[in-house]
Amino acid sequence: MTTRERDTGDDIAIVGMAGNFPGAPDIGKFWADLCAGRDGITRMTRAELLAAGVPAEVADDPAFVPAAGLLPGIDRFDADFFGYSRADAELLDPQHRLFLECAWHALEDAGVDPDRIEGLAGVFAGGAPSTYLLSNLLSNDVTALTVGPDQLILQNEKDLLASRLSYALDLTGPSVSVQSCSSTALAAVAQGCSSLLTGESDLVVSGSVSVVVPQEPGYLYREGSRFAPDGINRILDAGANGKVPGNGLGVVVLRRLEDALADGDRVYAVIRGWAIHHEGNRARQGFNLPGVPGQAAVVAEAMAAADVEPDEIDHIEVSTLGTPFGDVAEISALQKIFDVDGVERVTLGSIDANLGHINQAGGVARLIKAALALHHEKLPPAVNFEKPNPQLAHSGDKLVVQTGLGDWPRGERPRLAGVSAYGFGGTDAHVVLEEAPEYRPERPSARPHQLLVWSARTSEAADAMTGRLAADSPEWTDLADVAYTLHNGRKAFEHRRMTVVSSENDIADAFATVTAEADSKPRKAGFLLAGVGEQYRGMAGGLYDSEPEFKAAVDECAALFREHLGTDPTASLHGSRGSGGGDLARLLGRATDTEDAAPSVTQPAVFTLGYALGRLLRAWGVQPSVLAGYSVGEFAAATLAGALTLEEATALVATRAKLIEKLPEGAMAAVPLGAAELTALVGDVTAFGVDVAAVNGPRMIVVSGAGDGVEKLAADLAGHGIPARPLRTTHAFHSRALRPAAAELTAWARKNLTPREPEVPYLSNVTGAPITLKQLKDPGYWAEHMCRPVRFAAMIEHLASVSPDTVLLELGAGQSLGSMFRGHPDFPQTSWPLLVPTLPGEADPRQDTAVLTEALGRAWLSGADIDWRAYHDGRDPRKTTLPGYPFQRDRYWIEPTRAAADVALGARSAETPVYLIEGELDVTARDLATRLGAELGATVVFAEEHPGGPDAVRAAHGRLDGVLDLTTSNTAKEER
């Protein structure tokens, strides 16, 4: 059969999934168990039952069946992550706690950061009634006495499940709790799909949870009950004789298919049609017994909504429990749909035998299983299946149980599956799933280096996430997709980690060299633009080849400079990389390593590099709050700040360079002294024909002048034991030697420049302070900039006082400017990590793309904003599956009092309860605590009287049955 053309505008994509099921705390383990034919049912030995608190008389009762689908750790929760106090967390129904964590993991799996959702995010969810409220809270005498009923209901009401999630994650779309017993989850999904189609929501989080407290490791079988007498659930089997109880929860994230594909979402499957209805009472044997016509009708309605014929369906996930009547009813309903001409074979599957009957959450478990089957192109086998239910024989081979792990490959037509859920009382739901669209277009080349970033609320969680990612990395097939998912699909927390990876082969090394930030906070960014000195051939060749925005900026500058100079001075930026090593001169930022050191080559090239890097970073969302350029770097700063247009700036740089080249050559030298120290030692340096050309620090200056004058000064300093290191240069920059060109440059500026107020403040080399509009409007400013010293130390002092918490990215080769910052006493050492180089120095063998990628990661670590969507623009990235957040769970639990704990399976323990009393107590509070302890038959321990406080009490008693805070109120204290 060939594929029919159809409109996909009403299709809904499942883009994220998470679940916590018996034996499977995540969907990875869930799928592995399904494929292996393993169930998650817990079956304890007698010794294990006794250790779990089951009385011996119950464990030895022949009617006791030790089988149940249990969830471990339902008493544990990461309260801090979701902003709950210990008291509130202990009162909160564990169903709500588990659902919050599961929903977070589903959003992570979808690659969705709740803080960056575009549009409205709806929540449609349901849960079971709060047995924690009934069995623990209301049955705990202290809780019942000290916490009002309103508060208990607020923390445990199932109908607040959706609102609780919406509030916790600040989701502002519709938030609706759904309840229809075992069809709850699919009914919620169906409502979420409708909300997406109407435009009411742009993203939907949907799911359900069912956790019964206490979790009993078995049940007492009674003749005529719906439970299996042997603890084995046999779905669709001739020997089906009852269900096994279970607990679980699952969440899916839904989007309109067109939106999901546009954003590069990983689509597990497509929801093509859905239906919900009630069976009424005409064809039902009773309120609690299913009816065949109603079940068949909801399947037919969903298929009609999906525009699907029976012969197009490949697989059905059934809702039956494994009870004789229920199995026959559902098989009969399916036979009404599929026992028709054209249908060759429809396979049947289930999850109850794997997990136990998980009530409200069963539908989402089946939905997740079917979506995974489509995604992985496999059909998992039924468990506990031996012989088909006799009712199946009426269909021949049209309806068959999937008994082995089978391949389910894509074919000539889309693969389709149905998922059913029938609720106690008659509310039914059915969903039709289709395979995700096959997407294999040509994609642009990936970057040569990928930046991986992750974070957590605590350092321990961040380290745990590092371990999870490293362990998962052997499964990665596309590093660019991994990076994209981490960038756009994960919330950024305070404790951050990053590493740079170039290929699958160096992942292990990358995770061995992770860079961490202990407590990141939002920070502004600033740009430091280098001057001539550190440049070398090919220093940005990788960026030119791999970053279109950078290339466009370089090419734009090249075209403009070509108009003024007749040649392309930027060619050396992206040619083959030169070789050489660094020296102190280069560290001071004044050495020249290009073969042609003429100002008309080096200055335009350095300007272009700084400007192009700045434009690239701004395109990635790194918006500078301040700019500071060294010498020629100031022209790039003025351009990026909007004070000069690119046309004006390139013309200024070219004209200035040509004027300087007409002047006699000169020399420069670095001197490790302050200007005053130099004068005190050798007198007025102008006597040597030399000027101070730059003040880079309290004891770091550069002198400039005629060659013989610089040599004489160096010889004089040598006599005092002070080295004056010559810099490789062609002219005496920033000295009176350039004065002969000042008038011509001023006249040119008056005619050709129309400076504007900077949109971003930038610092003046002439004053070391922010440039003023008055300075910019003065045509003579540019001549003064050429002839007067660079007051870089003053610029450092200004930034240290005004912007000490700003991330400063050095735009240029190496990190000479950062070295000057670190050498200045006014710049605090605590701010050193905020100095970020963006390109390697010539002696650094790393590639330019690697260093810039690391720079972006370091900026993010420090708290600078990155526009990750812009960073990936044009790359056609895809989201992928990665490990979820490692919640740091602690125990939050209130036990029932002993009398109330005598439930169906018998009393758990005869131990005396222990209650810890915390807080500053007055006589009244102390008497109340003592009286409560006597009434409850409990041991009362006052924390303030116990050496070591509350922790010591816990250690001494090994457990606590409750913690009371009877602290005297402030009002009472004042009255006393």
Side-chain angles (χ1 to χ4, degrees):
M1 181 180 293
T2 57
T3 303
R4 291 186 295 150
E5 291 293 329
R6 68 182 188 87
D7 182 6
T8 61
D10 290 344
D11 286 359
I12 303 299
I14 301 176
V15 297
M17 303 191 297
N20 185 357
F21 304 114
D26 55 63
I27 61 171
K29 181 65 163 56
F30 178 51
W31 178 247
D33 285 352
L34 288 172
C35 291
R38 292 189 295 263
D39 69 44
I41 304 301
T42 298
R43 295 179 173 85
M44 293 185 179
T45 64
R46 182 179 187 278
E48 290 171 333
L49 290 169
L50 297 178
V54 176
E57 61 271 21
V58 175
D60 294 334
D61 190 325
F64 181 67
V65 181
L70 305 180
L71 294 185
I74 66 169
D75 58 342
R76 305 186 72 80
F77 179 50
D78 193 337
D80 290 341
F81 185 92
F82 292 99
Y84 283 88
S85 67
R86 172 164 286 277
D88 283 343
E90 288 181 339
L91 293 177
L92 187 61
D93 188 331
Q95 294 186 117
H96 290 226
R97 308 179 206 166
L98 293 167
F99 191 79
L100 287 172
E101 293 181 349
C102 189
W104 185 270
H105 280 157
L107 285 166
E108 284 188 318
D109 189 56
V112 174
D113 175 358
D115 290 349
R116 290 184 282 174
I117 294 175
E118 296 180 359
L120 295 174
V123 177
F124 295 84
S130 178
T131 50
Y132 180 65
L133 172 66
L134 297 174
S135 67
N136 286 42
L137 302 183
L138 293 178
S139 299
N140 181 290
D141 293 346
V142 175
T143 301
L145 287 171
T146 59
V147 181
D150 289 348
Q151 177 69 3
L152 291 176
I153 292 173
L154 181 68
Q155 299 292 74
N156 291 270
E157 172 55 55
K158 61 179 173 50
D159 291 342
L160 293 176
L161 182 69
S163 292
R164 191 174 304 284
L165 177 62
S166 295
Y167 178 82
L169 304 187
D170 192 27
L171 308 179
T172 56
S175 189
V176 180
S177 288
V178 179
Q179 178 54 256
S180 58
C181 294
S182 294
S183 62
T184 294
L186 275 198
V189 167
Q191 292 189 42
C193 291
S194 297
S195 181
L196 286 166
L197 288 192
T198 63
E200 182 182 54
S201 300
D202 298 292
L203 176 144
V204 160
V205 180
S206 185
S208 194
V209 55
S210 178
V211 177
V212 177
V213 176
Q215 285 197 112
E216 301 291 2
Y219 51 91
L220 288 167
Y221 175 72
R222 296 287 183 264
E223 188 69 32
S225 76
R226 291 181 175 175
F227 289 104
D230 54 2
I232 298 176
N233 195 201
R234 301 173 175 86
I235 305 295
L236 304 175
D237 191 90
N241 57 2
K243 66 181 181 178
V244 173
N247 296 305
L249 65 153
V251 177
V252 295
V253 179
L254 311 174
R255 297 188 71 190
R256 290 181 287 268
L257 178 61
E258 57 187 356
D259 295 339
L261 295 178
D263 285 351
D265 291 351
R266 179 251 296 102
V267 178
Y268 285 108
V270 174
I271 298 179
R272 184 164 158 177
W274 56 91
I276 312 171
H277 76 183
H278 194 278
E279 295 180 23
N281 66 7
R282 294 183 182 180
R284 290 174 65 86
Q285 302 298 313
F287 182 73
N288 61 343
L289 294 174
V292 173
Q295 291 189 2
V298 78
V299 176
E301 289 170 20
M303 290 172 57
D307 190 21
V308 167
E309 298 298 328
D311 62 348
E312 295 179 271
I313 297 291
D314 300 295
H315 180 78
I316 297 288
E317 281 295 317
V318 300
S319 178
T320 186
L321 312 180
T323 57
F325 182 82
D327 281 20
V328 170
E330 185 160 0
I331 294 169
S332 298
L334 293 175
Q335 287 170 334
K336 285 182 174 293
I337 304 296
F338 296 104
D339 280 3
V340 296
D341 292 340
V343 174
E344 295 181 0
R345 185 175 185 267
V346 178
T347 57
L348 306 178
S350 69
I351 52 92
D352 275 48
N354 299 82
L355 309 178
H357 184 60
I358 57 176
N359 297 293
Q360 285 83 352
V364 73
R366 286 188 285 277
L367 183 70
I368 289 173
K369 176 189 173 184
L372 288 172
L374 287 164
H375 181 67
H376 293 291
E377 302 184 13
K378 297 284 186 182
L379 281 171
V383 297
N384 306 328
F385 186 84
E386 295 180 0
K387 184 179 179 181
N389 187 296
Q391 182 67 29
L392 286 168
H394 298 298
S395 301
D397 291 331
K398 292 184 183 292
L399 293 174
V400 296
V401 177
Q402 182 69 31
T403 57
L405 179 62
D407 292 329
W408 193 15
R410 291 177 181 266
E412 294 182 354
R413 62 168 176 80
R415 295 166 298 145
L416 292 164
V419 181
S420 295
Y422 304 122
F424 188 94
T427 298
D428 301 336
H430 190 81
V431 169
V432 176
L433 292 182
E434 181 176 292
E435 64 186 24
E438 204 165 15
Y439 192 83
R440 293 180 180 173
E442 289 295 323
R443 297 171 66 178
S445 298
R447 288 185 168 95
H449 295 87
Q450 299 298 332
L451 173 63
L452 309 185
V453 301
W454 60 99
S455 64
R457 286 195 184 275
T458 67
S459 180
E460 294 78 10
D463 289 341
M465 192 65 205
T466 303
R468 287 189 176 188
L469 288 170
D472 189 62
S473 62
E475 304 299 320
W476 297 348
T477 58
D478 192 308
L479 291 175
D481 288 350
V482 171
Y484 176 66
T485 304
L486 291 172
H487 295 164
N488 285 285
R490 300 297 168 96
K491 181 178 173 66
F493 296 110
E494 300 84 2
H495 294 269
R496 302 187 175 187
R497 306 286 187 269
M498 59 81 65
T499 192
V500 176
V501 185
S502 60
S503 71
E504 285 80 3
N505 295 328
D506 70 349
I507 289 178
D509 291 338
F511 276 107
T513 56
V514 168
T515 306
E517 173 61 45
D519 189 13
S520 181
K521 61 182 181 181
R523 285 187 171 92
K524 296 179 179 179
F527 292 167
L528 305 177
L529 295 115
V532 174
E534 285 276 345
Q535 75 279 353
Y536 55 89
R537 296 188 310 277
M539 56 186 164
L543 292 176
Y544 187 83
D545 292 339
S546 62
E547 297 296 343
E549 181 70 20
F550 183 84
K551 182 180 186 299
V554 171
D555 290 348
E556 192 174 353
C557 290
L560 291 169
F561 280 125
R562 194 178 291 112
E563 292 178 8
H564 297 289
L565 301 172
T567 59
D568 178 7
T570 70
S572 64
L573 293 177
H574 47 85
S576 59
R577 182 168 178 174
S579 59
D583 55 20
L584 180 58
R586 188 173 298 102
L587 291 177
L588 292 172
R590 307 306 309 155
T592 300
D593 288 315
T594 56
E595 292 180 352
D596 186 351
S600 61
V601 175
T602 59
Q603 293 182 5
V606 169
F607 168 88
T608 298
L609 180 65
Y611 170 76
L613 282 170
R615 211 167 91 175
L616 178 61
L617 287 168
R618 292 179 84 163
W620 293 344
V622 185
Q623 301 299 334
S625 60
V626 66
L627 302 107
Y630 193 106
S631 187
V632 177
E634 182 173 337
F635 304 134
T639 311
L640 293 169
L644 297 175
T645 65
L646 182 60
E647 291 77 10
E648 289 174 326
T650 51
L652 173 59
V653 171
T655 300
R656 179 180 184 272
K658 288 189 292 185
L659 290 174
I660 291 173
E661 285 184 350
K662 295 177 183 179
L663 300 175
E665 294 188 351
M668 303 177 75
V671 179
L673 295 173
E677 289 179 301
L678 178 62
T679 300
L681 199 62
V682 300
D684 187 354
V685 294
T686 59
F688 294 88
V690 170
D691 293 318
V692 174
V695 180
N696 296 329
R699 305 193 80 235
M700 187 184 297
I701 63 174
V702 175
V703 295
S704 178
D708 57 350
V710 173
E711 289 180 4
K712 289 178 182 179
L713 177 60
D716 198 336
L717 288 171
H720 294 282
I722 303 296
R725 300 185 183 275
L727 307 182
R728 284 176 284 178
T729 184
T730 59
H731 290 77
F733 296 106
H734 295 286
S735 74
R736 55 185 157 169
L738 304 187
R739 282 287 172 192
E744 189 172 351
L745 183 60
T746 300
W748 181 91
R750 180 178 289 108
K751 181 179 179 181
N752 294 282
L753 300 183
T754 309
R756 289 151 295 280
E757 183 85 42
E759 298 169 3
V760 179
Y762 79 87
L763 304 187
S764 164
N765 279 204
V766 177
T767 64
I771 194 81
T772 65
L773 186 58
K774 181 179 179 180
Q775 285 174 298
L776 287 169
K777 292 292 188 181
D778 178 7
Y781 174 78
W782 310 105
E784 292 303 302
H785 176 278
M786 179 176 66
C787 301
R788 293 179 62 177
V790 176
R791 298 192 60 193
F792 198 70
M795 298 164 75
I796 295 174
E797 291 165 10
H798 176 84
L799 292 174
S801 63
V802 176
S803 307
D805 214 28
T806 298
V807 182
L808 298 174
L809 293 108
E810 182 170 349
L811 309 191
Q815 44 188 317
S816 60
L817 301 186
S819 297
M820 295 178 196
F821 271 82
R822 285 186 287 272
H824 198 292
D826 286 354
F827 193 75
Q829 190 169 348
T830 53
S831 295
W832 287 10
L834 303 181
L835 297 167
V836 181
T838 58
L839 289 179
E842 187 173 8
D844 185 343
R846 293 179 298 168
Q847 298 177 44
D848 54 340
T849 50
V851 175
L852 183 61
T853 302
E854 181 180 342
L856 195 67
R858 287 184 55 186
W860 177 83
L861 280 183
S862 298
D865 282 336
I866 311 293
D867 184 345
W868 293 117
R869 285 191 177 275
Y871 181 69
H872 291 278
D873 187 42
R875 303 280 174 176
D876 196 21
R878 291 281 172 266
K879 293 175 183 175
T880 189
T881 301
L882 293 173
Y885 188 90
F887 290 114
Q888 304 298 288
R889 298 181 173 97
D890 199 359
R891 189 172 193 265
Y892 298 91
W893 202 253
I894 294 175
E895 297 283 2
T897 55
R898 293 306 94 190
D902 295 340
V903 292
L905 294 185
R908 290 292 191 180
S909 171
E911 295 182 23
T912 301
V914 178
Y915 285 92
L916 172 65
I917 312 299
E918 289 189 317
E920 181 182 347
L921 306 180
D922 61 6
V923 175
T924 301
R926 183 178 294 276
D927 289 346
L928 174 61
T930 302
R931 189 167 61 254
L932 284 173
E935 291 175 359
L936 298 173
T939 299
V940 173
V941 183
F942 295 96
E944 63 180 7
E945 296 178 356
H946 198 287
D951 290 339
V953 174
R954 291 180 171 88
H957 291 272
R959 65 182 177 83
L960 289 176
D961 296 274
V963 178
L964 302 182
D965 184 353
L966 302 176
T967 303
T968 304
S969 69
N970 290 331
T971 302
K973 291 179 182 178
E974 291 171 1
E975 290 175 353
R976 293 203 309 273

